[in-house]
């Protein structure tokens, strides 16, 4: 997968998904030196970047009469429900009970059937796969479907067009769909990709240490959005394109959330502030003159 796949996804989603703004900050903003630009995908219709991938999938795949089934901690479910309504399809969303009500409650309002199961994302995925097998519905995987991954990469393509000069992009990682899509969009263009996880949701870190994706326990502040137990295959395939993979504690994420509100009046969810936390905590220190784009990817 590469820039051409991302460009095709951009054509599929145009008119459905917002081209979100890029906020370039003054030097020293948020307590971080250097030139920072925030990609504000928390302003998408469903409050996160995942509407890009969901719309790319439903606009690019054949959707059977049974509709689409997705497992989600909340954000991808909202995205699939929104895209299904926009494109005229049925949607069933399986949500773990660990997901906050703020992410579960709007699903029915978007017209989706909602099933809540005990556990975390992996438990919801097992149930969703059972429904796909028994109903013939389209399976919508939150981070390991090529059409979804290409859709997530459209955010990076917009940054390249809007910012002009960018040296490094910083993205949060759960299952890795945004990471894989970002690498696809930037492939061959000489930009660095910094991957950031929370200490409680270290699927990429665990995979790198093990030499392959493996299951790991997840928890903590950002678990509802970053709580995949295993890194996706698409993200694993781009591991050699990552400049550095970092983890940050929940305290750093909460601090980044507070800084975003204090300096920019942006209210991001924990996952939406995880990429920024790498810079505000000092886990990633830009070089002098380095231009860094940071994904503020969710607000739910």
């Amino acid at each position: 997968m590469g820039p051409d796949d991302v460009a095709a996804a951009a054509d599929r989603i145009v008119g459905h998904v917002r081209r979100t703004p890029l906020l370039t900050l003054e030097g020293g903003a948020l307590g971080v030196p250097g030139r920072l630009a925030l990609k504000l995908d928390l302003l998408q219709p469903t409050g996160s970047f995942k509407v890009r991938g969901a719309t790319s999938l439903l606009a690019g795949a054949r959707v059977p009469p049974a509709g689409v089934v997705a497992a989600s901690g909340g954000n991808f479910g909202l995205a699939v429900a929104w895209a299904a309504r926009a494109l005229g399809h049925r949607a069933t969303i399986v949500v773990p009970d660990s997901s906050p009500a703020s992410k579960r409650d709007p699903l029915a309002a978007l017209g989706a059937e909602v099933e809540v199961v005990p556990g975390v994302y992996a438990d919801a995925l097992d149930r969703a796969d059972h429904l796909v097998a028994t109903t013939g519905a389209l399976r919508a995987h939150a981070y390991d479907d090529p059409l979804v991954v290409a859709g997530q990469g459209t955010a990076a393509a917009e940054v390249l067009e809007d910012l002009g000069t960018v040296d490094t992009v910083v993205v949060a990682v759960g299952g890795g769909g945004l990471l894989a899509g970002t690498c696809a969009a930037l492939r061959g263009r000489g930009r660095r990709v910094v991957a950031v996880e929370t200490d409680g949701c270290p699927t990429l870190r665990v995979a790198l240490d093990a030499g392959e994706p493996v299951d790991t326990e997840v928890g903590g502040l950002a678990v509802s959005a970053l709580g995949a137990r295993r890194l996706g295959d698409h993200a694993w395939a781009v591991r050699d394109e990552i400049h550095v993979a970092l983890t940050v504690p929940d305290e750093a994420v909460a601090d980044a959330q507070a800084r975003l509100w204090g300096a920019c009046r942006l209210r991001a969810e924990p996952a939406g502030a995880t990429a920024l936390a790498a810079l505000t905590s000092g886990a990633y220190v830009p070089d002098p003159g380095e231009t860094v784009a940071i994904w503020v990817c969710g607000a739910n």
Side-chain angles (χ1 to χ4, degrees):
M1 184 180 299
D4 289 347
D5 300 287
V6 175
D11 288 341
R12 287 194 295 273
I13 69 176
V14 69
H16 297 292
V17 173
R18 293 172 185 161
R19 186 185 182 104
T20 53
L22 189 70
L23 177 62
T24 302
L25 301 178
E26 65 278 10
L30 301 171
V32 179
R35 186 181 185 218
L36 304 183
L38 306 180
K39 181 59 172 170
L40 303 184
D41 254 22
L42 81 173
L43 299 179
Q44 287 292 356
T46 60
S48 90
F49 75 96
K50 292 191 176 183
V51 73
R52 295 175 180 273
T55 305
S56 172
L57 172 66
L58 295 185
R62 188 189 72 82
V63 181
V68 57
V69 173
S72 173
N75 284 339
F76 187 66
L78 287 169
V80 170
W82 186 89
R85 185 179 69 172
L87 297 172
H89 302 301
R90 294 177 56 189
T92 300
I93 312 299
V94 186
V95 183
D97 62 6
S98 59
S99 182
S102 62
K103 292 186 178 182
R104 298 199 308 262
D105 293 347
L107 290 168
L110 288 168
E113 298 178 36
V114 183
E115 183 173 336
V116 181
V117 299
V120 293
Y121 171 76
D123 303 296
L125 182 60
D126 287 343
R127 175 59 180 165
D129 285 344
H130 172 76
L131 291 175
V132 169
T134 56
T135 67
L138 174 69
R139 181 180 191 255
H141 196 288
Y143 54 85
D144 225 9
D145 180 285
L147 294 178
V148 171
V149 169
Q152 314 305 29
T154 59
E158 291 174 9
V159 168
L160 287 180
E161 293 172 3
D162 293 345
L163 189 56
T165 300
V166 58
D167 301 300
T168 304
V169 299
V170 186
V171 298
V173 179
L178 180 59
L179 172 66
T182 298
C183 287
L186 301 180
R187 187 158 298 133
R189 300 185 180 185
R191 272 71 176 193
R192 292 182 288 196
V193 177
V194 174
V196 188
E197 302 176 283
T198 63
D199 289 344
C201 299
T203 54
L204 174 60
R205 181 73 269 154
V206 168
L208 292 171
D209 290 345
E212 62 181 341
V214 294
D215 287 347
T216 187
E217 292 300 315
V218 293
L221 190 63
V223 69
S224 70
L226 302 184
R229 283 182 180 163
R230 178 188 289 250
L231 188 74
D233 290 340
H234 284 83
W236 181 244
V238 302
R239 62 193 181 278
D240 293 335
E241 299 174 48
I242 301 169
H243 176 63
V244 63
L246 305 170
T247 61
V248 294
D250 283 353
E251 294 79 9
V253 173
D255 176 68
Q257 288 180 279
R259 294 193 196 206
L260 277 170
W261 176 251
C264 305
R265 287 300 186 261
L266 294 172
R267 195 172 292 281
E269 66 181 284
T274 294
L276 176 63
L279 285 94
T280 54
S281 69
Y284 183 77
V285 179
D287 295 330
E290 182 177 350
T291 299
V292 182
I294 305 159
W295 269 226
V296 183
C297 56
N300 292 315

